[in-house]
Amino acid sequence: MIQHFQYQSMYKNKQLPGWTFSFYYKQIRYEGIYHQNGSIEWTTSAPPQDSIEAISSQIHDLMLYHVYDRQ
């Protein structure tokens, strides 16, 4: 499970899509970019390959809740 999830818009004009995010997984900090189409670009090393699908799903759910459902 990911912990301490944070995100922010990449642009001052919050209408433009693109968000940076960070979180901890097994006590390691990860960072990335969440694109409007739902793709994730890792800006640090990616999480372990055997966990990446579950982590990506959690990030997608969190972004849907925090960004899209609150507009």
Side-chain angles (χ1 to χ4, degrees), residues 1 15 19-20 22-23 25 30 43 52 59 62 64 70:
M1 174 181 279
Q15 299 296 331
W19 301 267
T20 59
S22 65
F23 63 91
Y25 178 73
Y30 295 97
T43 55
I52 203 158
I59 292 169
L62 287 164
L64 284 174
R70 292 189 174 195

Side-chain angles (χ1 to χ4, degrees), residues 1-2 5 21 23 25 34 38-40 42 47-66 68:
M1 174 181 279
I2 64 176
F5 181 80
F21 65 86
F23 63 91
Y25 178 73
Y34 187 85
S39 64
I40 294 172
W42 299 104
Q49 197 62 33
D50 62 343
S51 302
I52 203 158
E53 188 174 321
I55 289 171
S56 296
S57 178
Q58 290 177 44
I59 292 169
H60 183 66
D61 289 345
L62 287 164
M63 292 302 291
L64 284 174
Y65 175 75
H66 288 294
Y68 292 107

